[in-house]
Amino acid sequence: MMVGMSLIPFSNMRAYLLRLCGVKVGKGCYIGFNVICDTNYAEMIEIGDLVTISHNTVIFTHTATPSNSYLSKIYNQVKNVKISDGSWIGANCTILPGVVIGENCMIGAGSVVSKNTESYSLYAGNPCKKIKDIPRPIL
């Protein structure tokens, strides 16, 4: 998968590769180069419709390790990740296990997302923090 995500020239083909690996990818998504999804639990990743995931983003669903260490007993977790419809993930982001990114939420480049985000909001930083609300469309 990693070779394909860096060499496949078209976003729709990269989305197809993610689907083959078990990731749920919605319609009309843009998947940038070198987007890495946790291959151990790929089926636990859900990407909504019209989502943009920019280059070099990493999505984790687990913190498990095969070593039988003290820390592995405390921090061993496997959790779903959901990126909701219309969201935009900037380049070089890291999304950690258990995160739900709200609809039409923007995550600034280089952010580390460790907690759920609200819909129609801009987040950035390490750790990722809410910067401001994004105006909702008038219907």
Side-chain angles (χ1 to χ4, degrees), residues 16-32:
Y16 178 73
L17 179 58
L18 289 178
R19 287 184 189 105
L20 284 177
C21 292
V23 177
K24 297 171 198 87
V25 181
K27 297 176 184 173
C29 291
Y30 173 82
I31 307 295

Side-chain angles (χ1 to χ4, degrees), residues 3-135:
V3 171
M5 295 304 284
S6 63
L7 296 177
I8 294 174
F10 304 108
S11 170
N12 60 346
M13 293 174 73
R14 290 189 294 271
Y16 178 73
L17 179 58
L18 289 178
R19 287 184 189 105
L20 284 177
C21 292
V23 177
K24 297 171 198 87
V25 181
K27 297 176 184 173
C29 291
Y30 173 82
I31 307 295
F33 286 103
N34 299 317
V35 170
I36 305 298
C37 291
D38 193 331
T39 55
N40 290 353
Y41 300 97
E43 70 281 358
M44 297 181 76
I45 300 171
E46 181 181 346
I47 299 169
D49 296 335
L50 305 173
V51 169
T52 295
I53 302 179
S54 298
H55 311 301
N56 303 313
T57 291
V58 182
I59 303 171
F60 292 105
T61 55
H62 81 291
T63 59
T65 176
S67 70
N68 192 17
S69 68
Y70 172 73
L71 292 176
S72 71
K73 292 178 178 84
I74 296 172
Y75 293 107
N76 187 1
Q77 64 175 330
V78 178
K79 295 182 179 178
N80 293 331
V81 171
K82 180 178 180 182
I83 302 173
S84 301
D85 295 348
S87 292
W88 183 354
I89 312 300
N92 300 304
C93 287
T94 301
I95 301 172
L96 297 177
V99 167
V100 175
I101 295 177
E103 287 186 27
N104 297 298
C105 181
M106 179 181 268
I107 307 297
S111 297
V112 176
V113 186
S114 59
K115 296 182 180 172
N116 295 348
T117 67
E118 297 173 18
S119 297
Y120 293 93
S121 299
L122 168 64
Y123 286 78
N126 180 6
C128 196
K129 294 183 180 171
K130 185 174 180 180
I131 305 299
K132 68 177 190 174
D133 291 320
I134 295 172

